[in-house]
C-alpha cells in the first residue's frame, strides 16, 4: 500500500508518532488510509450539508475495513459571487482545488480517495485532481436542491435572476420580487435546475466515477446518506481491485460524457470542464467533436432553465442511468467500459428504464434530433464558441443584427437595464475571457436582464466570458481567441452586422478582409486589469476557453 511509506519499518517511526498524535490506534494504522476530501463550508448552500455526507462516507469506509481521514477543499458559490469582483475568483478556484488536493494526497501517502464536492468548480477541480493523482478514487456529491414554488409553479435561482430583470423593467412589483427571493431556494443543495453543478454531478455518473444517483438524489433525501455510506464501502473494493481514475476516464468515457451532455442539455460550462479533466488524464479532448456527437444525439431533457422540469423530476423519472439506457437504444454509448461500480456501463444500465416520458423524452420523440449544445465557428470566433442550443428560442437559432459593444459586464448590464438595448440587437461583451477578466466571469446578470425585459426571443449576447448553467436564450460564450490576446471579438465595432446561425454552427460579423486587417493593425493590447496576487498568476498561465481554460507553463 502507498501508506506503508509512513507506517512500516523503523524509518517510519517518526511518521507513526505523528499518527499516534492524531489518536490513531495500531489497528487503524494497519488498515488502508483513505483520504476523504470534504468541500463542506458554511457559505455555499450546496455545501452546508456535506458534514453529514462526510460522516456517512467515513462510516462506510470503516465498515469496509479502511481508516478514513478527512481533509478540506475550498468551494465558491457562483450565485453569491455573481455580478461583482467575486466572480473573477470562481473559475480560477478549479485549479486551486486540483492543486491543493494533489498536494494533500501525495504528501500524506493516502491509499485511495473519496471526493465529496457539490458545486460548480469543485466537482471538475476534484475530477482533475483524481486524474492527476491516479489512485483509486470515487465521488459522492451533496445532491441537488429541491425546486421552489411561486404561484403554484416550480422555480429556482435562475427564475430569481430573471425576476430582477422583470422588476427593473417594471413588469413585477417589489413584493413579487421578494416572494421569489424567499421561495426560490428552499433547501440546501446545488441549485435545482440543470445548471453547472448538477450537470457535472450527472456527468460524473456517466464518466463512471460515481455510483448511480449521485447526480440526482436530492440533498435532503435520506437516500443521499445511504449513497454516501455505499460510496465509502465501494472505495475499498476499488482499492482491492486497483481500479484507478485513468482506467475509468478513458477517451471513450469522455465521448460517452459528451453524448450524455447533449442528451441531458447540460450547462455550456461542461465544454470548459470536460477538456480540462481529460487533459489531466493525458487525453486531448477537442470540443469541436461535440458537433459531430450532437449531430447524431437527440436532446431528451429540457430541465430548467430550458424547460419546466427540475433535477428532482429527473430523479423520479429514473435518473441519469435511465437517460443512458434510452440513448443506448441508438447504440450511441460505448458500454464495455469499466466504472467505479466494478461493473461495465452495460451492466450498470441494464434494467434501467424511463419512468416519465414527459421528463425524459423517448428517442422516438425527442425535443430535438440534435444535442443540447452547439460549438460555433466563424470570423468572430475563429477557434470556436459555445451555446446551449436547447435553451434557445426557435426563432433565435438564426439571427442577424447590429453589434452593441461593451468592454465589461457592468457597462452592458447598465445599458440593458436602462432600455438602451432593443429587439434585434446583438450584445457583445468582451475583455471578460480567462486572461482578460481575468477569470472568465459568468454573465448570468446580463442574460437574465435580457430575459426579464422580454427580449429573450429577439436579442442575442456574445462574450469571451462564460455563462451560468442557469442562463437561457441566445447566449454565446467562450469566444476564442479572446479579446485580451487580440482575438477578432476585440475588432468588432458598434453597429457591425453580426450573423448567427446556430443550426449551421456559424458565427460571423460582416467585414471585408481589408477592413479586418486595418483594425487588427490598429489594435493594441490593454493593460491587465489585475496585476497582483493569484489572479495575476492565473492570467499569465491560462489558455483560451476552447482548450478548457487550462493552466499551461510557458515553454522555455
Amino acid at each position: 500500500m502507498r501508506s506503508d511509506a509512513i507506517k512500516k519499518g523503523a524509518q517510519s517511526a517518526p511518521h507513526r508518532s505523528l499518527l499516534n498524535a492524531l489518536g490513531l490506534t495500531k489497528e487503524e494504522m494497519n488498515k488502508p488510509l483513505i483520504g476523504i476530501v470534504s468541500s463542506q463550508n458554511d457559505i455555499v448552500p450546496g455545501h452546508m450539508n456535506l458534514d453529514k455526507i462526510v460522516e456517512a462516507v467515513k462510516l462506510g469506509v470503516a465498515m469496509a475495513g479502511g481508516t478514513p481521514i478527512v481533509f478540506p477543499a475550498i468551494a465558491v458559490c457562483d450565485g453569491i459571487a455573481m455580478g461583482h469582483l467575486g466572480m473573477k475568483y470562481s473559475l480560477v478556484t478549479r485549479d486551486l482545488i486540483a492543486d491543493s488536493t494533489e498536494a494533500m494526497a501525495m504528501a500524506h501517502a493516502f491509499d485511495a480517495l473519496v471526493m465529496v464536492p457539490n458545486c460548480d468548480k469543485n466537482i471538475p477541480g476534484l475530477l482533475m485532481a483524481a486524474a492527476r493523482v491516479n489512485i483509486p478514487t470515487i465521488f459522492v456529491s451533496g445532491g441537488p436542491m429541491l425546486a421552489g414554488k411561486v404561484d403554484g409553479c416550480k422555480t429556482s435561482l435562475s427564475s430569481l435572476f430573471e425576476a430582477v430583470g422583470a422588476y427593473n423593467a417594471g413588469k413585477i412589483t417589489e413584493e413579487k420580487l421578494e416572494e421569489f427571493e424567499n421561495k426560490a431556494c428552499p433547501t440546501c443543495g446545488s441549485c435545482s435546475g440543470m445548471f453547472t453543478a448538477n450537470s457535472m454531478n450527472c456527468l460524473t455518473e456517466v464518466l463512471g466515477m460515481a455510483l448511480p444517483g449521485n447526480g440526482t438524489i436530492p440533498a435532503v433525501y435520506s437516500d443521499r446518506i445511504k449513497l454516501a455510506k455505499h460510496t465509502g464501502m465501494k472505495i475499498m473494493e476499488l482499492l482491492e481491485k486497483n481500479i484507478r481514475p485513468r482506467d475509468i476516464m478513458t477517451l471513450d468515457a469522455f465521448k460517452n460524457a459528451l453524448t450524455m451532455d447533449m442528451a441531458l442539455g447540460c450547462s455550456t460550462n461542461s465544454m470548459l470542464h470536460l477538456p480540462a479533466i481529460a487533459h489531466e488524464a493525458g487525453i486531448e479532448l477537442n470540443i469541436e467533436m461535440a458537433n459531430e456527437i450532437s449531430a447524431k444525439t437527440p436532446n431528451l431533457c429540457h430541465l430548467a432553465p430550458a424547460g419546466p422540469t427540475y433535477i428532482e423530476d429527473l430523479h423520479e423519472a429514473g435518473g441519469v442511468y435511465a437517460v443512458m439506457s434510452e440513448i443506448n437504444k441508438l447504440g450511441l454509448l460505448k458500454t464495455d467500459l469499466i466504472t467505479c461500480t466494478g461493473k461495465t456501463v452495460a451492466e450498470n444500465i441494464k434494467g434501467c428504464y424511463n419512468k416519465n416520458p414527459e421528463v425524459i423524452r423517448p428517442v422516438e420523440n425527442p425535443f430535438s434530433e440534435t444535442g443540447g449544445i452547439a460549438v460555433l465557428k466563424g470570423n468572430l470566433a475563429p477557434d470556436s464558441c459555445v451555446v446551449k442550443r436547447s435553451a434557445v428560442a426557435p426563432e433565435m437559432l438564426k439571427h442577424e443584427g447590429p453589434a452593441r459593444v461593451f468592454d465589461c459586464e457592468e457597462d452592458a448590464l447598465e445599458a440593458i437595464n436602462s432600455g438602451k438595448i432593443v429587439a434585434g440587437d446583438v450584445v457583445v461583451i468582451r475583455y471578460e475571457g480567462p486572461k482578460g477578466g481575468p477569470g472568465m466571469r459568468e454573465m448570468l446578470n446580463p442574460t437574465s436582464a435580457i430575459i426579464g425585459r422580454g427580449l429573450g426571443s429577439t436579442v442575442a449576447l456574445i462574450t469571451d466570458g462564460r455563462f451560468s448553467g442557469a442562463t437561457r436564450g441566445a447566449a454565446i460564450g467562450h469566444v476564442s481567441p479572446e479579446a485580451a490576446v487580440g482575438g477578432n471579438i476585440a475588432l468588432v465595432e458598434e453597429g457591425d452586422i453580426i450573423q448567427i446561425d446556430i443550426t449551421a454552427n456559424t458565427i460571423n460579423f460582416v467585414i471585408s478582409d481589408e477592413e479586418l486587417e486595418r483594425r487588427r493593425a490598429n489594435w493594441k493590447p490593454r493593460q491587465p486589469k489585475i496585476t497582483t496576487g493569484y489572479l495575476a498568476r492565473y492570467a499569465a498561465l491560462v489558455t483560451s476557453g476552447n482548450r478548457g481554460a487550462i493552466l499551461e507553463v510557458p515553454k522555455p
Side-chain angles (χ1 to χ4, degrees):
M1 291 187 292
R2 293 178 77 251
S3 62
D4 286 350
I6 62 171
K7 297 189 309 187
K8 301 294 185 182
Q11 74 278 3
S12 293
H15 308 80
R16 290 195 297 273
S17 177
L18 293 168
L19 295 177
N20 281 327
L22 290 173
L24 292 185
T25 65
K26 287 184 178 180
E27 292 83 358
E28 287 174 304
M29 290 187 214
N30 286 333
K31 296 176 182 179
L33 301 185
I34 310 301
I36 301 174
V37 187
S38 171
S39 301
Q40 194 275 333
N41 62 49
D42 291 341
I43 187 62
V44 183
H47 292 230
M48 61 180 284
N49 66 322
L50 294 192
D51 54 345
K52 295 179 176 60
I53 302 297
V54 167
E55 286 303 314
V57 171
K58 289 173 65 177
L59 185 57
V61 168
M63 285 192 294
T67 297
I69 300 177
V70 179
F71 64 89
I74 63 169
V76 162
C77 176
D78 277 27
I80 295 175
M82 194 74 65
H84 60 96
L85 179 65
M87 181 44 70
K88 293 179 183 288
Y89 286 89
S90 172
L91 179 62
V92 304
T93 64
R94 188 184 69 180
D95 294 276
L96 283 175
I97 292 160
D99 292 349
S100 61
T101 302
E102 174 196 3
M104 289 293 288
M106 300 306 291
H108 301 103
F110 290 112
D111 296 300
L113 297 171
V114 181
M115 308 293 201
V116 188
N118 209 35
C119 286
D120 290 19
K121 306 308 172 300
N122 70 323
I123 304 163
L126 291 178
L127 282 164
M128 289 164 66
R132 191 185 299 174
V133 175
N134 199 36
I135 61 176
T137 304
I138 193 170
F139 280 66
V140 58
S141 76
M145 185 184 292
L146 293 178
K149 274 197 174 180
V150 174
D151 298 329
C153 297
K154 288 184 177 181
T155 189
S156 68
L157 183 65
S158 64
S159 306
L160 182 51
F161 274 94
E162 292 174 12
V164 172
Y167 172 74
N168 287 334
K171 293 177 178 290
I172 63 171
T173 64
E174 185 176 352
E175 289 74 21
K176 178 56 70 174
L177 179 63
E178 186 175 1
E179 183 181 1
F180 272 100
E181 177 183 333
N182 290 326
K183 294 181 177 179
C185 300
T187 74
C188 63
S190 49
C191 296
S192 55
M194 188 53 86
F195 312 147
T196 303
N198 292 328
S199 294
M200 293 309 301
N201 275 326
C202 288
L203 294 180
T204 302
E205 277 192 59
V206 179
L207 282 169
M209 290 295 293
L211 298 180
N214 179 67
T216 60
I217 298 173
V220 294
Y221 282 17
S222 297
D223 277 351
R224 177 62 57 178
I225 301 297
K226 295 179 185 178
L227 178 69
K229 291 176 183 175
H230 284 131
T231 300
M233 297 178 207
K234 184 60 69 172
I235 191 59
M236 300 308 296
E237 180 184 328
L238 294 177
L239 177 59
E240 180 183 358
K241 295 180 178 178
N242 196 29
I243 298 175
R244 304 183 181 213
R246 292 194 184 192
D247 301 324
I248 295 170
M249 291 193 287
T250 62
L251 177 58
D252 282 334
F254 282 103
K255 288 181 178 178
N256 280 354
L258 282 171
T259 298
M260 290 302 299
D261 195 329
M262 300 301 164
L264 287 163
C266 291
S267 164
T268 52
N269 281 314
S270 62
M271 294 291 104
L272 282 175
H273 300 322
L274 289 175
I277 299 161
H279 176 75
E280 296 293 351
I283 298 165
E284 294 307 311
L285 194 68
N286 187 335
I287 64 164
E288 289 181 44
M289 74 170 63
N291 283 341
E292 178 185 344
I293 290 173
S294 177
K296 56 188 178 184
T297 306
N299 176 228
L300 305 185
C301 298
H302 265 195
L303 298 154
T309 53
Y310 292 80
I311 300 296
E312 64 197 62
D313 302 310
L314 177 61
H315 179 64
E316 296 300 326
V320 173
Y321 278 16
V323 186
M324 292 177 74
S325 183
E326 193 68 42
I327 281 293
N328 200 46
K329 291 177 182 178
L330 301 176
L332 296 179
L333 298 177
K334 186 76 170 176
T335 60
D336 61 351
L337 309 179
I338 193 66
T339 71
C340 71
T341 66
K343 301 176 181 178
T344 65
V345 172
E347 291 172 314
N348 286 343
I349 66 176
K350 183 178 180 180
C352 298
Y353 65 96
N354 182 0
K355 299 176 183 178
N356 188 340
E358 296 302 314
V359 176
I360 306 171
R361 288 278 187 93
V363 291
E364 299 84 9
N365 181 35
F367 283 102
S368 65
E369 296 291 341
T370 54
I373 289 177
V375 177
L376 315 183
K377 292 183 75 171
N379 69 356
L380 200 150
D383 287 344
S384 70
C385 57
V386 177
V387 63
K388 188 170 183 175
R389 175 166 43 196
S390 60
V392 178
E395 57 269 34
M396 288 298 290
L397 290 173
K398 190 171 185 178
H399 180 75
E400 180 174 312
R404 305 298 309 279
V405 182
F406 305 93
D407 288 350
C408 68
E409 175 189 1
E410 290 81 359
D411 290 350
L413 187 61
E414 190 280 329
I416 296 165
N417 285 335
S418 61
K420 296 175 183 175
I421 302 301
V422 299
D425 284 348
V426 179
V427 177
V428 177
I429 306 177
R430 61 193 182 189
Y431 295 99
E432 291 284 9
K435 285 184 180 293
M440 204 178 188
R441 289 195 289 180
E442 289 185 345
M443 302 291 155
L444 182 56
N445 277 337
T447 56
S448 296
I450 288 170
I451 297 292
R453 296 185 75 86
L455 297 171
S457 61
T458 57
V459 169
L461 191 151
I462 299 169
T463 182
D464 52 8
R466 60 192 178 90
F467 296 110
S468 165
T471 289
R472 62 189 175 108
I476 300 166
H478 311 185
V479 170
S480 302
E482 63 174 291
V485 299
N488 286 355
I489 190 172
L491 309 180
V492 177
E493 294 184 356
E494 185 81 8
D496 284 348
I497 298 301
I498 294 180
Q499 298 171 333
I500 302 164
D501 191 334
I502 294 172
T503 304
N505 301 318
T506 61
I507 183 166
N508 293 285
F509 63 119
V510 178
I511 188 171
S512 68
D513 292 342
E514 294 76 17
E515 175 63 12
L516 185 63
E517 290 310 310
R518 184 191 69 78
R519 293 184 189 179
R520 193 184 312 283
N522 291 330
W523 179 83
K524 290 181 174 57
R526 303 200 172 191
Q527 290 298 315
K529 294 176 183 176
I530 295 177
T531 58
T532 60
Y534 178 56
L535 286 179
R537 296 196 301 276
Y538 180 89
L541 299 176
V542 71
T543 64
S544 294
N546 69 304
R547 295 186 57 201
I550 60 172
L551 300 188
E552 192 169 66
V553 178
K555 295 179 181 179

